[in-house]
Amino acid sequence: MKKGDKLFVRIDYEKGELKTTSKDFEDHVEYLKGIAAERYFAGGGFNNAEGGLIIFEAKDLKEAKIIAEKDPIIARGLYKTKVYEWELLITSDKRI
């Protein structure tokens, strides 16, 4: 990654109206694995709250929102999501 790359932050929040099943979660993970195979991607769930955060590459905000909306847990109305364009200013040479 370098300064100027188009990165987006997606924050998911559990709606709480419907119960997420193990199948829903498996479908969600498989979908995200497919996205991760195509582009820069990092994501995971929160330990102290329901939901998660994903940082990923997309060509613009429209594409980023489409990617988010196609995720099974969003499309099925189990979670709501917000997507933000993120300006990358600083990167580290160190790897985790």
Side-chain angles (χ1 to χ4, degrees):
M1 299 299 323
K2 63 188 179 313
K3 184 178 178 183
D5 283 349
K6 291 263 187 190
L7 292 178
F8 295 85
V9 175
R10 172 182 148 184
I11 303 173
D12 296 344
Y13 306 91
E14 186 177 40
K15 289 176 85 173
E17 299 160 4
L18 302 171
K19 192 79 172 152
T20 304
T21 67
S22 59
K23 174 73 168 119
D24 294 319
F25 186 72
E26 289 169 14
D27 292 348
H28 163 68
V29 170
E30 285 304 310
Y31 176 76
L32 294 180
K33 284 181 181 178
I35 299 301
E38 300 170 353
R39 63 192 74 229
Y40 178 82
F41 180 95
F46 299 127
N47 287 330
N48 62 341
E50 292 295 325
L53 181 135
I54 299 167
I55 299 171
F56 63 102
E57 188 176 21
K59 67 180 180 182
D60 54 30
L61 186 58
K62 181 179 177 181
E63 180 185 47
K65 287 182 176 182
I66 290 169
I67 290 167
E69 291 165 4
K70 287 184 176 181
D71 186 324
I73 64 167
I74 304 303
R76 295 174 189 165
L78 301 167
Y79 280 69
K80 60 185 176 179
T81 190
K82 292 190 177 187
V83 179
Y84 303 94
E85 187 169 350
W86 186 43
E87 184 176 345
L88 183 62
L89 294 176
I90 301 168
T91 62
S92 173
D93 292 335
K94 294 189 180 216
R95 302 270 181 199
I96 297 175

